[in-house]
Amino acid sequence: MSFEIPITQHLESFYEHLQSNDRTIFSAKFGDGKSYFLKEFKEKYKDDYYFITLYPVNYSVAENADIFEYIKRDIIIRLAEDDILCNIDFEALADSIFNMENLMEVVSFLVSFLPHSAFIQKIIDKTKGIFDNYQKKMP
């Protein structure tokens, strides 16, 4: 027989809290049930929120200054994997912030962090297309 403490009221209270607060720190000591609570919350409110789970162990060997860059990268990867970024015009973005001299360097750097996937292939294909268009525009 398993015994489970009901948390439905706490899930609803946390939901109400999030409705009226833009920022929240969810903290407790190891073993207090944070992961369980969040897993239950995500299941109950999956239609109301888009969840991205980050695992701190992935950043434990990084320099403090790099951690935010890794977190941003992981969020972008997750958004791309879930096809939320599919409507971004990467060519227009690249034209607005990069010149061709540093575009290939930036893309190479970004791709080096990512495991090979369909998303990576999209980046490679888009970059090749941008490079080809740039070459056509050159005198």
Side-chain angles (χ1 to χ4, degrees):
M1 180 170 109
S2 97
F3 177 73
E4 189 173 306
I5 299 171
I7 62 169
T8 304
Q9 179 182 352
H10 299 292
L11 294 172
E12 291 168 1
S13 294
F14 189 60
Y15 178 80
E16 289 173 19
H17 168 80
L18 291 178
Q19 295 299 305
S20 59
N21 294 281
D22 291 337
R23 297 177 184 197
T24 298
I25 295 176
F26 189 75
S27 178
K29 64 183 179 183
F30 181 80
D32 278 353
K34 297 178 297 296
S35 296
Y36 175 75
F37 182 86
L38 290 174
K39 180 178 77 71
E40 295 297 313
F41 185 84
K42 289 186 327 187
E43 182 60 33
K44 183 170 180 153
Y45 295 105
K46 63 185 168 198
D47 295 332
D48 297 339
Y49 289 100
Y50 175 73
F51 295 96
I52 297 176
T53 302
L54 301 172
Y55 299 97
V57 69
N58 294 343
Y59 316 111
S60 62
V61 296
E63 296 287 327
N64 285 343
D66 295 333
I67 290 174
F68 288 110
E69 296 305 314
Y70 292 133
I71 289 171
K72 288 188 277 185
R73 177 208 62 194
D74 287 351
I75 290 170
I76 289 171
I77 291 170
R78 175 63 189 279
L79 293 170
E81 288 173 345
D82 291 346
D83 285 332
I84 292 174
L85 297 180
C86 63
N87 293 327
I88 291 179
D89 184 349
F90 286 106
E91 187 171 344
L93 179 65
D95 283 346
S96 69
I97 59 175
F98 298 117
N99 59 35
M100 189 46 68
E101 289 75 33
N102 67 7
L103 175 63
M104 297 306 285
E105 183 179 327
V106 169
V107 171
S108 280
F109 173 74
L110 293 174
V111 169
S112 71
F113 285 106
L114 306 174
H116 189 74
S117 66
F119 174 63
I120 298 300
Q121 194 59 50
K122 278 185 189 178
I123 291 175
I124 292 168
D125 294 343
K126 283 285 188 182
T127 303
K128 287 178 183 175
I130 293 167
F131 181 75
D132 292 343
N133 287 340
Y134 180 79
Q135 294 289 38
K136 289 176 189 174
K137 293 177 187 176
M138 292 298 294

